[in-house]
Amino acid sequence: MSLRFDTTGWEPLQDGVFRNGDGDVAVLSGFDIPPNLAAPLEDLDRLRRATVESSVAAGGGLIELDVITLDGLPAIRQIVKLPLPDRPTGVVYLGSFTVPRADRSLVLRVQCMEHGVTGMRDSVVLNRFLSEHGQGRPLEEMMRSWAQHPYAPEVQGGLPRNWSEEPGWDPHFPDHPLSRARRSLQALAPTIELHPAFKAAPPFRG
């Protein structure tokens, strides 16, 4: 594989698949075809909007998306949430790095699922939100402020990002899957090393 990272704290399950002590799974994938991205990385607004739309089409929602640098190459760092299949409640947060080149790409994805009682973070923060922002406001207006898709607030459907998913709440809910996803991405990013042959491939232009 053309990408390596520090696997301290990650147990190998099979080739390219790892699990940490929280039960989260990291999956490393390589693709020898041109990346299926809606826009070049330089067009961040278009890339974000297209990702919002594709996430909503899958029944989920985009939490955040940024273009960063990994071992000297431009890459996408994003987190999306999707409903858990065959379960009435709960979501999975998928945090990922995508490193695109013109004819290939690498993806490192961390899957963080809700376990046990779900919705605790949302419930606690919603009560706080209502006490601070709900006085004298119509319910519809208030709920629009509570949850909307980032980068494209007019988009409807799916699972919009809500106020409880702001990064500032992570320290209050360290075991929540979104907190775990952000923590894993932050820890993994500076350890990532890309193979020289992959770095020498032509850059992705969209």
Side-chain angles (χ1 to χ4, degrees), residues 113-153:
M113 297 177 59
E114 285 190 316
H115 303 295
V117 178
T118 62
M120 182 66 69
R121 176 170 172 162
D122 290 27
S123 178
V124 171
V125 180
L126 177 59
N127 287 335
R128 174 80 172 268
F129 176 82
L130 292 175
S131 66
E132 293 184 1
H133 303 280
Q135 301 301 320
R137 298 176 62 189
L139 179 61
E140 184 177 349
E141 176 189 337
M142 182 184 60
M143 296 313 293
R144 278 199 303 268
S145 299
W146 163 254
Q148 58 182 234
H149 292 289
Y151 320 121

Side-chain angles (χ1 to χ4, degrees), residues 51-75:
T51 308
V52 168
E53 293 172 345
S54 63
S55 300
V56 170
L62 177 64
I63 300 297
E64 56 202 39
L65 186 154
D66 294 288
V67 173
I68 63 170
T69 300
L70 290 177
D71 195 18
L73 291 186

